């Protein structure tokens, strides 16, 4: 456990400054990050659902998921994106000429377009939402990291009662509530240092986004348990896969976007 924690901290120490730099710069750097996260996460989703059976559907899942941020960045219509995804997925499933696990194989092709593809695109929408757009992207990253960190250490120190054993046996109510403390801390620090929003509103956004972030974590944990996977992949030492690290962000980013840019 301690060795795994040390690896996690080492990876985080190298990754966090890089991600914050990309978030603060925006533009093609942020687009490239979203494409990588969407494509890699889409591949992981297809890999989980297909239970590690490699097929062209996984490549298609990665491709369609990675296109979602591109459509968003260039203000292309998502109707065409989803039509392309559904029709292409149908063609792939038919050409495989197998009826076994038909629904799972179709889900593996279509789901990544929404999760993570469409959801990660909210970072692009945030970055283009106004003068504070890039600051809100940075805030979104800081928020989910603070929630995850507080939930992890709060759960380890005080966790007794399980939050949702059937979805994630390691999550506790203590960690769940500690996550809200981390969110409020991130909101206060962000408001004092770089984000010029009224502090009461920023704290409210942080609390609601923290709830979404922890639901996102539970959602991905449940998906892995349903298909017998421990991690989404092993690409990040000590953290697992891209989805294991960014699942909270996928649910939190839309909340931050709608509460600050759409319903200011």
């Amino acid at each position: 456990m301690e060795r795994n924690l040390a690896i996690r901290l080492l990876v985080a120490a190298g990754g966090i400054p890089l991600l914050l730099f990309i978030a603060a710069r925006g533009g093609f750097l942020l687009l490239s990050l979203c494409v990588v996260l969407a494509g890699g996460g889409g591949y992981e989703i297809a890999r989980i659902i297909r239970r590690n059976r490699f097929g062209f559907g996984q490549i298609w899942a990665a491709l369609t998921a990675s296109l979602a941020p591109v459509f968003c960045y260039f203000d292309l219509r998502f109707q065409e994106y989803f039509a392309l995804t559904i029709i292409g997925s149908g063609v792939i499933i038919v050409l495989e000429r197998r009826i076994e696990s038909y629904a799972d194989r179709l889900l593996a092709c279509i789901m990544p377009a929404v999760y993570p593809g469409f959801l990660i695109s909210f970072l692009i929408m945030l970055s283009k939402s106004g003068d504070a757009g890039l600051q809100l992207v940075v805030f979104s990253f800081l928020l989910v990291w603070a929630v995850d960190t507080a939930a992890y250490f709060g759960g380890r120190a005080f966790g007794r009662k399980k939050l949702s054993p059937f979805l994630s046996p390691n999550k506790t109510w203590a960690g769940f509530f500690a996550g809200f403390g981390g969110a409020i801390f991130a909101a206060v620090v962000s408001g004092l240092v770089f984000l010029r929003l009224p502090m009461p509103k920023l704290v409210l956004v942080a609390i609601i986004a923290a709830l979404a972030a922890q639901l996102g974590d539970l959602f991905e944990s449940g998906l892995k348990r349903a298909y017998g996977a421990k991690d989404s992949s092993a690409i990040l030492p000590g953290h697992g896969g891209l989805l294991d690290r960014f699942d909270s962000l996928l649910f939190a980013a839309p909340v931050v976007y709608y509460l600050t840019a759409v319903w200011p």
Side-chain angles (χ1 to χ4, degrees):
M1 176 65 74
E2 296 303 324
R3 180 176 181 274
N4 186 60
L5 178 60
I7 294 174
R8 291 183 66 166
L9 293 175
L10 185 62
V11 172
I16 287 176
L18 176 61
L19 291 173
L20 289 179
F21 173 77
I22 293 173
R25 292 300 299 270
F28 277 99
L29 278 178
L30 181 60
L31 173 61
S32 299
L33 173 63
C34 289
V35 166
V36 170
L37 295 181
Y43 182 87
E44 289 177 350
I45 285 288
R47 174 180 173 271
I48 290 171
I49 295 175
R50 295 177 69 109
R51 304 179 191 273
N52 293 324
R53 297 186 184 93
F54 181 80
F56 185 71
Q58 288 158 281
I59 304 300
W60 174 254
L63 176 62
T64 56
S66 63
L67 282 177
V70 176
F71 268 68
C72 183
Y73 186 85
F74 290 103
D75 295 319
L76 302 176
R77 298 199 313 168
F78 270 99
Q79 293 94 322
E80 284 83 355
Y81 169 72
F82 286 116
L84 170 68
T85 299
I86 294 171
I87 294 171
S89 299
V91 170
I92 290 172
I93 296 303
V94 169
L95 291 179
E96 285 186 341
R97 302 174 66 181
R98 288 191 296 114
I99 198 62
E100 298 83 14
S101 304
Y102 190 93
D104 280 349
R105 289 186 289 117
L106 186 59
L107 181 65
C109 286
I110 293 179
M111 184 179 178
V114 177
Y115 179 92
F118 178 65
L119 293 182
I120 201 68
S121 299
F122 278 91
L123 292 178
I124 303 294
M125 298 182 200
L126 261 180
S127 72
K128 300 165 68 175
S129 64
D131 294 338
L134 291 177
Q135 296 174 356
L136 288 169
V137 175
V138 173
F139 170 66
S140 298
F141 276 100
L142 293 175
L143 172 73
V144 296
W145 290 334
V147 171
D148 287 348
T149 302
Y152 177 78
F153 286 106
R156 287 191 65 185
F158 307 107
R160 297 293 183 272
K161 188 173 178 57
K162 300 299 182 181
L163 174 63
S164 183
F166 66 98
L167 289 178
S168 182
N170 294 325
K171 300 288 189 302
T172 65
W173 280 103
F176 176 76
F177 288 115
F180 289 100
I184 294 171
F185 175 78
V188 171
V189 171
S190 298
L192 292 175
V193 176
F194 66 89
L195 193 52
R196 298 295 174 254
L197 287 178
M199 189 62 74
K201 176 178 180 176
L202 195 54
V203 170
L204 178 62
V205 170
I207 291 172
I208 299 174
L211 175 61
Q214 299 195 74
L215 289 174
D217 196 350
L218 286 172
F219 175 82
E220 196 245 354
S221 295
L223 181 67
K224 289 186 298 185
R225 285 195 61 130
Y227 287 96
K230 183 179 183 296
D231 295 315
S232 60
S233 73
I235 193 172
L236 299 175
H239 294 269
L242 293 175
L243 286 177
D244 296 319
R245 185 66 276 164
F246 294 97
D247 51 3
S248 301
L249 183 64
L250 294 176
F251 276 44
V255 171
V256 175
Y257 173 75
Y258 278 108
L259 293 181
T260 58
V262 178
W263 304 314

